[in-house]
Amino acid sequence: MKVLSQFMGVFNLDKCLGCNACTVACKNLWTNREGTEYMYWNNVETRPGPGYPLEWEDQEKYRGGWILTKDGKLKLAIGGRIARLLELFHNPYLPTIDDYFEPFTYTYENLVNAKESDKQPVAEPVSLITGKRIELRLGPNWNDDLAGGTEAILKDPNFKKLENKVKTDFENAFMMYLPRICNHCLNPSCVAACPAGAMYKREEDGIVLNDQNKCRGWRFCIAACPYKKVYYNWATGKAEKCILCYPRLETGQIPACFHECVGRIRYLGVVLYDADRVEWAASARDPKEIIDRMLQIILDPFDEEVIKNAKENGVTGDFIEAAQKTPVYKMVKIWKIALPLHPEFRTLPMIWYIPPLSPLVENIKVKSDEEFFPIVDHMRIPIEYLASMFTAGDTEKVKNVLKKLITLRIYMRQKRLGKKVNEELLKEVSLTEKDLEEMYRVLAIARLEDRFVIPTAHKEKALKMFEESLAPEYVQGSRGLQQTIRRDLRLRKS
């Protein structure tokens, strides 16, 4: 057993407003430069719909993530080294600019500089890449709030699997929001696919980053990522991705998209996991078993043996304390109300989602609270659709989560009305009154410091990492490491 620490996030989709405050915060902070116009490290998708980039979930088209060979070994879906070498100058599994959208602006000067005319002057769309006029056919949030439209629904890869079960009639339409960032996976396929070694996963906190000095722009990381959260900067020729705002995290600040969330749906904390069993967890024959294996390698932060092993592997005391305080661990492993996005990709994502509750269809009548459980299948958002996204098709896991969320609502209603708590409901979902009270505090009225438990980085670790990144002749110089660092900082400022 090798215990390491990892930042892990949970998004409560039951509270997402689709306001895109998270998107704006990220865009203003990280992707407001030339070459990043089309990048959305954070985006909010309306579901059902094609997503961003278009149909990114269709791995028959993109071949992202991992596949399991006949002998039970993991293999990149885009192929091994020889296959990638043959596709060095033509990668058929890359999304094109048309799958995102060609970034554009408007000729606003036309509004003030147009010659006198009987016609109203207009601002025409022009490409930010070529500078030429373009016809708008796609854009950021192009399908926003259009999940009830048949055209948007039919482009959803999850919906295509369920065409016979989900109706597209207007009266049966349903909609939900899905905010997405890089999942900072335990088994990242983007890292394994990079031939230059530029993509790497930080051992101290699990954040997946791209070394811009090493990156050669081969773009295999983009093809290998099944979530399509790595982007190519056409201006610099480098790959870029969400960095989980690690400069903010290292000083105890909250990542921008988490901090600006209006609905307070986001939670971030540290979990401890067994790094020796990552491959085992990703190698389950049945994709439906991957979630159970992931829960097994996420360890109890109060276990003395786990704490001892973690310290031996360099996990500091404040990281262990943060793992004990964060509600993320309880959401994922104790209460089991959160699920990973597409576990069948075998990357072991570390951003999990609480699936949304939805209204019951009109023709279903409920006489009492106790009758909710038998009709979970009759909710507006089909169970099969949620299972296609979060459990590799295992509808029972989704039902169990929805039952727990319903139980929480029933419990709080009964308590406020002074009614006797139905003990049978609690037994049905394996939760206690204490669990439900804490779930309510976390999901409904949690304060900022309760939702985000973030330990700061350690100076000694930063110095060690800096030392390892320098050439040996500089490190071993007579002036010492501290002087080398100060000189480097002066050069950067100049």
Side-chain angles (χ1 to χ4, degrees), residues 264-322:
R264 300 184 180 185
I265 76 163
R266 301 186 180 214
Y267 303 79
L268 185 69
V270 175
V271 294
L272 304 178
Y273 73 99
D274 185 357
D276 286 341
R277 303 182 74 195
V278 167
E279 184 178 357
W280 168 81
S283 302
R285 280 289 179 187
D286 186 352
K288 295 178 181 179
E289 297 177 6
I290 293 177
I291 296 178
D292 296 327
R293 293 196 180 191
M294 285 188 72
L295 292 177
Q296 289 184 50
I297 67 172
I298 295 175
L299 305 174
D300 182 357
F302 294 96
D303 187 290
E304 292 297 330
E305 184 180 351
V306 170
I307 294 173
K308 180 183 177 182
N309 192 297
K311 290 181 177 178
E312 290 174 354
N313 287 295
V315 180
T316 56
D318 51 354
F319 266 70
I320 295 173
E321 184 180 351

Side-chain angles (χ1 to χ4, degrees), residues 45-58:
E45 300 172 0
T46 300
R47 291 310 183 94
Y52 174 83
L54 293 177
E55 301 180 352
W56 61 269
E57 292 162 292
D58 187 354

